[in-house]
């Protein structure tokens, strides 16, 4: 990540190989309270221009916050992509209609010799 | 389900640890989100609301698969469904059931039916969203034809237990119509095999023995307003004689005596003046015999939005007030008195129990239409109480139709309802979708629209988001730092509290 101050604006350059588009947009969405955010993509990097809405921005703190947030959103992206199918399965099963009873797939054995499947009805 | 092992015969003997070991040493992540609680601690939360508070840096270790089976946290991560040793977790059905349970408030659809019996009121509260001082019953009272049609629509709800809430203005100014509505609703409930709860929202200035006796006969609950000690209440709630506080207090005492302590509740509205008096307000509720208080910010709708000097404050200012008041409530509990804060309790129930909470302002899908519907005095139907407040500002965006012209299906499943449904899930809203507090929070398209101009909202500048994220974070921090607070909080969520 490269961080530079260009007059009243702050320019952040982010390596697109490390931080994908989802990560960059989700991260800088939260900066749109205090800044006018402009994101453009060049070949292998994103350029983000942050224009403060009010004066009094602490650049050092901001740099630290951006670096932390990018890592956090990359972590979130990792979990989100790795677990997408499971999340969809949970929600689909949660709202599906269930059969009342499922039959066990395996045979049941017992060390004391009691076989419940030999019980005559 | 237990993983099968080809070399071991399946029987019911206890197995050694090797039996349960998987072929791979790594684990698989399950869906979860995380949030930095403070400089030292962070929290992970899954879709079902299971959570773990851990030291900073742990989340990165979990996600980058650095946790080993021998690590202390490993079994907690497994047991709370944050990781799995199989690609598809063996307890997937359990996770689905937990998720379904969290959303079970949807099972029966709309429960709360608000009937605005009259817009007339003898108060002129500066933060009031809707009411009118008028003697014109024809113009501002709900007609009996509309009461009938509203009850008819209420009976169409799939919910076997509905609540009929009478609001105003001052609902008791139309007490004859309330009696008519109660009788009619009871008749219809028998025909449709429904249970009904009745609530009258009133400032209690007009309460008398006849009304109390009727409420007792029909098991009607009373919900009123107390804004704190007299100097705050009377400043907020104007009426001729400047005696709103005195009448409300006398009304509360009479109602509690006639109906019972648990049949009368009071709500606080936090005006700008209130912000300086958190302890005095908490003490006032205690003094009046209440053992609960609902610290509620002002709704930025209707006439309230016009008086910015008295009614406008930032989410930050409200949070400061809330925290001071909450600490004062907790202090009562530390000396052995049961006293709870209701908004905190709603969130705690979401955090500490597997069940949903029937609170329409903090749900996903949002409470509008799904849990609440409003029949206005003029027969118009609105998606929520706040929606009709907007209508008093001539903004009818959330008007779903009219009792005169629209069917149940057109109202509840119509084009407008479908449009709002695009924005009523926090699971799919920008900012909310990645938020760790999503299972404990909600979506509020009406608030978004009223404060930010569209139903989707913009989280970074949203007071709703700022307020709820900070309250939820703060509650976790309090419980993490002080186990006595957690013990107190757990007493607040016990059934029947």
């Amino acid at each position: 990540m490269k961080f530079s101050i260009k007059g009243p604006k702050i320019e952040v350059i982010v390596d697109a190989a490390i931080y994908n588009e989802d990560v960059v947009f989700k991260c800088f969405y939260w900066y749109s309270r205090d800044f006018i955010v402009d994101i453009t993509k060049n070949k292998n990097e994103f350029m983000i221009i942050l224009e403060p809405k009010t004066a009094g921005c602490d650049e050092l703190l901001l740099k630290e916050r951006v670096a932390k947030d990018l890592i956090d959103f990359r972590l979130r992206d990792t979990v989100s992509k790795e677990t997408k199918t499971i999340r969809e399965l949970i929600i689909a099963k949660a709202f599906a209609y269930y059969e009342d009873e499922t039959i066990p797939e395996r045979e049941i054995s017992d060390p004391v010799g009691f076989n419940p499947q030999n019980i005559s009805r | 389900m237990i993983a099968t092992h080809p070399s071991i015969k399946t029987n019911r003997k206890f197995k050694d640890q090797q039996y349960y070991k998987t072929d791979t040493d790594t684990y698989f992540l399950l869906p979860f989100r995380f949030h930095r609680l403070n400089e030292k601690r962070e929290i992970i939360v899954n879709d079902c609301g299971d959570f773990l508070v851990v030291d900073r840096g742990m989340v990165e270790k979990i996600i980058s698969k650095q946790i080993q089976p021998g690590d202390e946290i490993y079994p907690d991560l497994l047991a709370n469904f944050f990781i799995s040793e199989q690609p598809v977790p063996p307890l997937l059905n359990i996770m689905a059931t937990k998720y379904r349970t969290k959303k079970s408030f949807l099972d029966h659809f709309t429960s709360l039916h608000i009937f605005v019996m009259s817009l007339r009121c003898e108060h002129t509260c500066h933060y009031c969203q809707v009411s009118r001082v008028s003697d014109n019953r024809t113009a501002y009272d709900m007609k009996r034809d509309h009461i009938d049609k509203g009850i008819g629509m209420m009976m169409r709800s799939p919910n076997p237990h509905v609540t009929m809430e009478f609001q105003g203005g001052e609902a008791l100014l139309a007490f004859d119509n309330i009696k008519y509505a109660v009788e009619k609703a009871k008749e219809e409930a028998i025909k449709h095999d429904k249970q009904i709860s009745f609530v009258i929202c009133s400032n209690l200035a007009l309460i008398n023995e006849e009304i109390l006796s009727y409420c007792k006969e029909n098991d009607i609950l009373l919900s009123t307003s107390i804004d704190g000690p007299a100097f705050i209440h009377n400043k907020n709630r104007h009426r001729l004689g400047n005696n709103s506080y005195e009448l409300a207090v006398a009304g509360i005492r009479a109602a509690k005596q006639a109906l019972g302590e648990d049949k009368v509740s009071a709500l606080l509205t936090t005006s700008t003046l209130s912000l300086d008096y958190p302890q005095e307000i908490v003490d006032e509720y205690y003094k009046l015999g209440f053992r609960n208080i609902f610290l509620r910010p002002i709704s930025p709708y209707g006439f309230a939005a016009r008086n910015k000097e008295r009614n406008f404050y930032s989410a930050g200012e409200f949070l400061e007030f809330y925290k001071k008041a909450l600490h004062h409530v907790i202090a009562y509990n530390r000396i052995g008195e049961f006293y709870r804060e209701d908004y905190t309790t709603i969130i705690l129930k979401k955090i500490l129990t597997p069940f949903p909470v029937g609170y329409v302002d903090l749900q996903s899908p949002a409470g509008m239409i799904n849990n609440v519907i409003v029949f206005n005095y003029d027969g118009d139907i609105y998606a929520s109480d706040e929606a009709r407040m907007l209508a008093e500002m001539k903004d009818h965006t959330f008007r779903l139709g009219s009792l005169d012209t629209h069917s149940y299906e057109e109202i509840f499943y119509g084009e407008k309802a479908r449009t709002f449904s695009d924005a009523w899930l926090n699971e799919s809203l920008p900012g909310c979708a990645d938020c760790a507090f999503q299972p404990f929070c909600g979506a509020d398209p009406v608030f978004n629209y009223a404060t930010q101009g569209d139903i989707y909202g913009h989280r970074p500048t949203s007071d709703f988001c700022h307020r709820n994220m900070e309250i939820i974070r703060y509650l976790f921090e309090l419980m993490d730092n002080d186990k006595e607070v957690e013990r107190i909080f757990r007493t607040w969520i016990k059934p029947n509290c």
Side-chain angles (χ1 to χ4, degrees):
Chain A
M1 182 188 85
K2 291 175 201 160
F3 192 92
S4 52
I5 296 156
K6 305 261 168 106
K9 298 181 184 177
I10 294 127
E11 185 183 281
V12 185
I13 307 284
V14 171
D15 188 339
I18 301 173
Y19 301 106
N20 66 42
E21 190 173 309
D22 286 354
V23 171
V24 171
F25 272 83
K26 284 182 176 183
C27 176
F28 286 98
Y29 172 73
W30 288 99
Y31 287 74
S32 58
R33 184 186 73 176
D34 302 321
F35 301 91
I36 296 165
V37 180
D38 180 45
I39 301 174
T40 50
K41 189 178 181 189
N42 303 319
K43 271 187 179 173
N44 301 317
E45 60 190 25
F46 290 98
M47 186 169 71
I48 301 105
I49 307 287
L50 301 175
E51 187 180 343
K53 290 181 181 173
T54 55
C57 167
D58 183 328
E59 283 88 6
L60 192 63
L61 275 179
L62 180 68
K63 186 179 176 182
E64 201 181 316
R65 185 183 153 203
V66 169
K68 274 185 189 172
D69 285 350
L70 277 169
I71 293 169
D72 279 359
F73 276 95
R74 188 165 180 259
L75 289 170
R76 290 187 178 105
D77 192 59
T78 302
V79 182
S80 171
K81 295 213 163 89
E82 188 175 326
T83 63
K84 183 173 180 288
T85 312
I86 295 292
R87 174 170 275 138
E88 286 169 1
L89 258 177
I90 292 168
I91 294 169
K93 274 179 167 281
F95 296 112
Y97 289 103
Y98 284 101
E99 293 291 331
D100 284 345
E101 193 180 353
T102 51
I103 300 160
E105 287 172 12
R106 288 186 293 134
E107 283 192 357
I108 302 165
S109 69
D110 192 284
V112 296
F114 169 73
N115 185 351
Q117 289 174 350
N118 284 343
I119 295 172
S120 56
R121 302 195 177 202
Chain B
M1 187 195 291
I2 297 169
T4 54
H5 197 291
S7 63
I8 299 175
K9 191 184 170 192
T10 51
N11 59 37
R12 291 168 64 186
K13 283 180 182 168
F14 283 105
K15 317 293 189 305
D16 61 27
Q17 282 190 341
Q18 194 61 30
Y19 176 82
Y20 297 97
K21 209 162 172 17
T22 53
D23 295 337
T24 165
D25 278 338
T26 189
Y27 53 83
F28 300 89
L29 297 177
L30 294 177
F32 68 81
R33 302 177 185 84
F34 66 90
H35 188 82
R36 311 292 184 200
L37 280 184
N38 50 44
E39 286 305 306
K40 291 180 180 169
R41 305 281 274 169
E42 52 199 18
I43 185 169
I44 51 177
V45 185
N46 66 20
D47 287 342
C48 306
D50 300 315
F51 66 90
L52 278 178
V53 179
V54 293
D55 288 337
R56 283 290 286 260
M58 185 59 78
V59 168
E60 192 175 358
K61 282 185 185 170
I62 296 166
I63 295 170
S64 56
K65 314 272 174 79
Q66 293 176 48
I67 307 294
Q68 300 299 317
D71 291 346
E72 197 181 342
I73 194 172
Y74 191 86
D76 288 335
L77 293 172
L78 266 181
N80 288 288
F81 305 109
F82 293 110
I83 61 169
S84 165
E85 291 179 332
Q86 286 85 37
V88 177
L91 296 180
L92 189 72
N93 283 344
I94 303 289
M95 295 167 75
T97 304
K98 283 164 74 88
Y99 189 84
R100 188 185 175 98
T101 304
K102 277 281 178 194
K103 300 290 183 188
S104 59
F105 64 90
L106 292 170
D107 288 355
H108 297 302
F109 209 42
T110 322
S111 54
L112 178 59
H113 295 75
I114 295 175
F115 287 70
V116 180
M117 300 308 284
S118 174
L119 269 202
R120 294 183 295 127
C121 189
E122 24 65 70
H123 274 62
T124 51
C125 308
H126 62 71
Y127 53 53
C128 179
Q129 286 89 359
V130 290
S131 73
R132 304 277 200 289
V133 175
S134 168
D135 292 326
N136 191 342
R137 295 175 74 101
T138 319
Y140 294 119
D141 283 13
M142 189 180 244
K143 293 181 178 62
R144 292 200 172 182
D145 176 46
H146 286 144
I147 294 172
D148 291 347
K149 287 173 178 165
I151 291 169
M153 208 167 263
M154 180 167 71
M155 292 300 145
R156 293 284 313 276
S157 170
N159 201 316
H161 190 155
V162 292
T163 298
M164 190 176 191
E165 183 171 293
F166 302 109
Q167 285 202 13
E170 171 48 48
L172 291 182
L173 281 170
F175 185 62
D176 285 349
N177 277 352
I178 289 179
K179 285 202 287 188
Y180 172 80
V182 169
E183 301 307 323
K184 179 84 182 175
K186 283 167 75 176
E187 279 172 28
E188 293 298 312
I190 293 166
K191 286 186 210 162
H192 293 86
D193 197 21
K194 283 203 192 300
Q195 283 190 303
I196 308 188
S197 301
F198 297 105
V199 181
I200 299 177
C201 298
S202 164
N203 57 41
L204 298 186
L206 304 172
I207 201 88
N208 58 35
E209 278 189 26
E210 183 209 339
I211 294 170
L212 286 173
S213 163
Y214 187 79
C215 289
K216 187 163 178 67
E217 278 167 33
N218 293 281
D219 200 21
I220 299 173
L221 306 179
L222 288 175
S223 173
T224 190
S225 300
I226 282 287
D227 287 355
F231 74 94
I232 300 175
H233 186 96
N234 284 341
K235 193 91 173 172
N236 288 347
R237 305 178 68 83
H238 301 160
R239 80 186 299 277
L240 270 176
N242 197 31
N243 60 349
S244 175
Y245 172 85
E246 289 73 14
L247 290 173
V249 169
I252 288 167
R253 289 199 173 122
K256 281 187 170 185
Q257 198 171 9
L259 309 177
E261 290 279 334
D262 59 332
K263 304 289 183 190
V264 187
S265 63
L267 279 174
L268 165 78
T269 301
T270 310
S271 66
T272 308
L273 177 64
S274 318
L275 296 177
D276 293 330
Y277 302 99
Q279 297 196 356
E280 290 80 353
I281 291 169
V282 168
D283 289 340
E284 180 66 26
Y285 268 72
Y286 188 84
K287 195 180 87 184
L288 291 172
F290 291 109
R291 291 299 174 264
N292 65 309
I293 184 169
F294 198 141
L295 300 169
R296 206 172 54 130
I298 226 159
S299 300
Y301 311 107
F303 300 146
R306 294 179 192 169
N307 197 340
K308 289 201 187 295
E309 194 179 305
R310 284 169 169 177
N311 303 327
F312 181 79
Y313 44 82
S314 67
E317 287 172 291
F318 175 78
L319 286 166
E320 198 180 330
F321 165 81
Y322 166 84
K323 287 176 186 178
K324 283 180 185 166
L326 178 64
H327 276 276
H328 200 50
V329 175
I330 291 171
Y332 274 94
N333 288 269
R334 285 190 197 276
I335 57 167
E337 294 291 321
F338 178 86
Y339 189 8
R340 66 158 201 256
E341 199 287 304
D342 286 339
Y343 196 69
T344 307
T345 307
I346 287 163
I347 293 170
L348 288 173
K349 280 184 179 167
K350 287 171 174 245
I351 291 173
L352 299 172
T353 81
F355 307 109
V357 183
Y359 178 63
V360 298
D361 291 348
L362 205 63
Q363 287 183 346
S364 177
M368 62 191 294
I369 302 173
N370 296 302
N371 291 98
V372 61
I373 198 84
V374 178
F375 305 126
N376 209 7
Y377 70 100
D378 55 2
D380 282 352
I381 305 172
Y382 291 94
S384 71
D385 200 20
E386 289 74 17
R388 68 120 175 175
M389 295 171 187
L390 269 181
E392 293 308 318
M393 296 171 80
K394 310 286 178 216
D395 186 332
H396 299 278
T397 303
F398 296 95
R399 181 182 175 275
L400 298 170
S402 165
L403 286 166
D404 291 324
T405 52
H406 288 72
S407 67
Y408 181 88
E409 285 73 17
E410 285 168 328
I411 294 297
F412 287 87
Y413 308 116
E415 198 178 321
K416 275 210 164 180
R418 286 201 299 274
T419 303
F420 302 144
S421 72
D422 288 346
W424 71 26
L425 278 170
N426 65 6
E427 284 85 344
S428 59
L429 287 176
C432 298
D434 295 301
C435 179
F437 298 149
Q438 187 195 98
F440 317 126
C441 197
D444 194 341
V446 183
F447 187 94
N448 293 340
Y449 176 84
T451 56
Q452 299 186 312
D454 72 75
I455 58 174
Y456 300 93
H458 178 245
R459 250 53 61 200
T461 51
S462 161
D463 272 5
F464 180 91
C465 176
H466 183 182
R467 192 171 64 239
N468 286 311
M469 270 190 82
E470 178 53 18
I471 289 176
I472 297 167
R473 186 205 68 78
Y474 189 63
L475 296 180
F476 275 115
E477 190 176 58
L478 282 177
M479 288 191 281
D480 191 40
N481 288 343
D482 187 344
K483 290 300 158 195
E484 174 68 4
V485 171
E486 185 182 337
R487 189 197 62 76
I488 290 167
F489 282 173
R490 285 187 184 277
T491 66
W492 295 5
I493 59 165
K494 281 184 181 167
N496 305 319
C497 280

